[in-house]
Amino acid sequence: WGVRTRQRLGRQQNGKGGKKPRISVKDPDQSIHIVTTACLPWLTGTAVNPLLRAVYLARLDRKVTLVVPWLAPEDQKRIFPRNISFESPTEQEEYVKDWVRNRVGFDAPFNIKFYPGMYAQDKGSILAVGDVTKYINDEEADIAVLEEPEHLTWFHHGRRWSSKFKHVVGVVHTNYLDYARREEGGDLKQALLKRINQWVCRAYCDQVIKLSDAVQRMPRQSTCFVHGVSPSFLNVGVAKRERPQSGEERFPKGVYFIGKVLWAKGYTEMLQLLKTHREATGNNLALDVFGSGEDLGAVQAGAEELGLDLTFHGARDHLHSSMHDYKVFVNPSRSDVVATTTAEALAMGKFVVVEDLPCNVFFSTFPNCLVYRTPEEFSRCIKHAVEEEPTPLAERDRKRLTWEAATERFLYMAEPSGLGDSPKERFLGSLSYRAHQIISGLEPVRHAMGAGKKTRDNPERVVDVRPIRPEDCGWSLAGKRGQVAAPPTVGSSA
């Protein structure tokens, strides 16, 4: 899936008729810098997936550097779990390398560099401070992979990524338009953000890979799921193939959902579906919820008011042994581009119940993926999943979920396509960059849009970065990302 999209784009060589030199992403002599917007121990998709991409590219004897944000101690306490904090980038790098070793079972020879970042409460994510390109040596600037290219460059003021590097590939992870739509003034914010995302991707990327068509149209785009699943999840699935001893069940536990507790992460839809399911079937489905987040209290109150049988367990690693015995993973989120947790559940041999959406196209090709279009179909999927046994994960399906297969897909899709080589595209890209540099250099505009004060220029040292103050978030704070979408209308709980 997704490869046919790449085939239709043709195979023009980058640099043909343009100023950029010929280059191949598959050339082992070309170094790769993977730049992302988050880092462990924050277990968010943009921390884990770029890290594993770096690991598996390095395993192919590629020279790979992962470029991640360093946060001030105050910001570390806000988002890192279990009160984990680091006094230096070296200490955090050691933590990341240890996590990789435990997760994949081997040492990977990749490097880690840090850039100064700050946690923006209004966006629920990390923003760069200053020009990130300054932390990468020109001599090593061959290929850049911008994980979340729009996010990385909203407020970028400095050198053009596609001028510093021979080839720049953006990988779009997040449906930011859905988040914007749920905020106060959502229609205006969504329309504005859509154009900004297209603007910065044209200015800084040679081509863009979307994980699914759940996200907006982008310049120079193609679509392919280029993520995989850690071997540890697949090992659970292999173990679950074994026939249990007499009287035992392969999956003795029932239905669960795991994810950050924000209304925008599927909790609105989940409460609505469970309420409708109970009214239609008389079955108040018991569902265990694993996650933490700003909306936890509101979601708990909404579930209680509706009389739903939800048990909240707090945040937990999806790989924790207590998660292995659940049989059914429900993910009703409409804001995902591609949910890593859904892939992990399939890898562990479980049923997954998801809506018929572009973000679930890849998953729908697996026999244990049950897809619904209406609340009635949701109820039928739940009934089937609860009463039947998942099909043991076939070897062919197991391989499709591996990071080895995902890395092959990535190298194929990231190969220069020539999409930005025409005179028109080169002109539009240059114009977009120049205009963005003017706007992103204006402090009043940066403040109004939520970049914070005095974040345009680089601090003297990476570790000198300071947290953003709420009063410096500007107009964007009015939305309070993830907190505006209302819970479902409360009906009778009888």
Side-chain angles (χ1 to χ4, degrees):
W1 174 77
V3 172
R4 289 192 300 273
T5 305
R6 178 64 177 78
Q7 289 172 331
R8 288 196 297 268
L9 297 176
R11 286 184 166 275
Q12 295 177 324
Q13 291 296 316
N14 196 7
K16 184 178 180 180
K19 297 180 179 179
K20 301 190 80 170
R22 289 174 178 268
I23 189 173
S24 173
V25 175
K26 299 176 183 178
D27 182 353
D29 292 331
Q30 303 297 324
S31 64
I32 301 174
H33 282 76
I34 298 175
V35 189
T36 190
T37 57
C39 185
L40 297 181
W42 196 18
L43 287 171
T44 186
T46 49
V48 174
N49 289 310
L51 169 60
L52 291 174
R53 193 183 327 283
V55 167
Y56 280 87
L57 283 169
R59 201 182 191 192
L60 297 176
D61 293 327
R62 301 300 300 270
K63 183 179 180 182
V64 181
T65 301
L66 181 68
V67 186
V68 295
W70 167 260
L71 297 177
E74 298 91 332
D75 279 344
Q76 293 184 34
K77 293 176 182 177
R78 286 190 179 98
I79 65 173
F80 291 170
R82 303 184 302 278
N83 297 316
I84 297 174
S85 62
F86 307 99
E87 295 183 358
S88 70
T90 301
E91 187 180 345
Q92 187 170 1
E93 179 178 351
E94 291 173 355
Y95 177 95
V96 172
K97 294 287 185 71
D98 286 341
W99 184 92
V100 167
R101 194 176 299 111
N102 293 328
R103 199 69 157 197
V104 302
F106 59 84
D107 288 309
F110 69 100
N111 301 312
I112 298 179
K113 287 185 178 180
F114 289 84
Y115 65 85
M118 62 178 189
Y119 180 69
Q121 180 184 349
D122 59 309
K123 298 173 179 61
S125 57
I126 297 169
L127 299 177
V129 177
D131 178 6
V132 179
T133 68
K134 289 185 176 180
Y135 300 101
I136 301 169
N137 295 330
D138 288 350
E139 295 77 14
E140 300 176 347
D142 294 328
I143 298 165
V145 180
L146 303 186
E147 310 275 357
E148 297 207 309
E150 71 281 54
H151 181 155
L152 281 167
T153 58
W154 282 331
F155 303 111
H156 175 71
H157 185 75
R159 192 167 177 184
R160 189 179 181 187
W161 283 95
S162 50
S163 294
K164 182 180 180 77
F165 285 84
K166 299 173 185 176
H167 185 54
V168 180
V169 181
V171 181
V172 179
H173 292 241
T174 305
N175 188 355
Y176 286 111
L177 299 191
D178 186 81
Y179 289 120
R181 177 181 60 80
R182 294 169 184 260
E183 296 183 355
E184 294 175 6
D187 289 343
L188 175 59
K189 288 185 177 181
Q190 181 184 38
L192 179 61
L193 185 59
K194 179 180 180 180
R195 298 306 178 192
I196 291 174
N197 289 347
Q198 292 173 333
W199 178 19
V200 295
C201 284
R202 172 167 273 121
Y204 297 107
C205 295
D206 293 310
Q207 60 198 71
V208 174
I209 300 172
K210 302 192 305 182
L211 297 180
S212 81
D213 286 328
V215 294
Q216 68 176 89
R217 186 168 184 81
M218 289 291 193
R220 307 161 188 167
Q221 71 172 30
S222 58
T223 303
C224 184
F225 181 53
V226 292
H227 289 173
V229 175
S230 295
S232 301
F233 291 100
L234 293 160
N235 291 340
V236 174
V238 171
K240 287 294 183 181
R241 291 178 185 172
E242 302 298 325
R243 187 179 300 277
Q245 297 180 6
S246 178
E248 296 183 356
E249 299 180 64
R250 283 200 299 145
F251 295 97
K253 296 182 180 179
V255 187
Y256 75 106
F257 176 62
I258 187 168
K260 189 174 182 180
V261 187
L262 297 174
W263 288 116
K265 286 289 189 180
Y267 287 89
T268 300
E269 294 83 0
M270 182 170 65
L271 267 59
Q272 290 171 330
L273 285 166
L274 293 177
K275 176 177 177 289
T276 303
H277 175 75
R278 185 191 61 204
E279 292 171 347
T281 67
N283 173 28
N284 193 9
L285 182 69
L287 188 142
D288 288 344
V289 178
F290 297 89
S292 61
E294 293 92 331
D295 289 337
L296 176 59
V299 173
Q300 288 177 315
E304 184 176 351
E305 189 170 359
L306 290 170
L308 300 174
D309 189 5
L310 268 63
T311 303
F312 293 83
H313 297 275
R316 191 171 300 177
D317 191 330
H318 204 183
L319 193 57
H320 192 275
S321 59
S322 62
M323 309 298 294
H324 297 181
D325 288 339
Y326 282 94
K327 184 167 75 168
V328 186
F329 174 67
V330 174
N331 187 359
S333 176
R334 294 174 176 172
S335 64
D336 289 327
V337 177
V338 176
T340 302
T341 50
T342 302
E344 292 168 349
L346 283 171
M348 289 190 282
K350 307 176 189 295
F351 279 124
V352 301
V353 179
V354 297
E355 191 172 357
D356 185 14
L357 296 169
C359 60
N360 295 318
V361 169
F362 178 78
F363 303 134
S364 68
T365 62
F366 289 78
N368 289 331
C369 182
L370 306 178
V371 180
Y372 64 89
R373 298 168 185 81
T374 65
E376 293 76 21
E377 289 187 3
F378 172 79
S379 293
R380 287 198 290 270
C381 289
I382 289 294
K383 183 176 186 297
H384 175 86
V386 170
E387 294 179 354
E388 304 296 331
E389 281 294 305
T391 302
L393 190 66
E395 185 61 21
R396 175 180 176 275
D397 289 331
R398 189 197 69 81
K399 287 182 178 179
R400 287 199 292 151
L401 288 170
T402 64
W403 264 103
E404 286 86 353
T407 302
E408 288 182 9
R409 294 194 296 268
F410 171 77
L411 290 172
Y412 183 82
M413 300 299 293
E415 191 70 7
S417 62
L419 289 174
D421 287 348
S422 69
K424 177 183 176 182
E425 276 298 314
R426 293 202 305 273
F427 171 76
L428 290 175
S430 178
L431 181 64
S432 297
Y433 168 69
R434 293 178 184 277
H436 185 254
Q437 286 300 288
I438 294 172
I439 298 298
S440 66
L442 300 174
E443 284 289 358
V445 174
R446 297 176 63 87
H447 179 218
M449 298 303 293
K453 291 183 177 179
K454 298 181 179 179
T455 62
R456 183 188 66 186
D457 302 322
N458 297 62
E460 185 173 344
R461 301 179 303 164
V462 169
V463 294
D464 291 338
V465 68
R466 294 290 178 264
I468 189 173
R469 299 180 303 174
E471 59 266 29
D472 291 340
C473 288
W475 170 66
S476 62
L477 185 59
K480 292 185 179 179
R481 178 183 185 259
Q483 298 182 3
V484 173
T489 303
V490 178
S492 171
S493 59

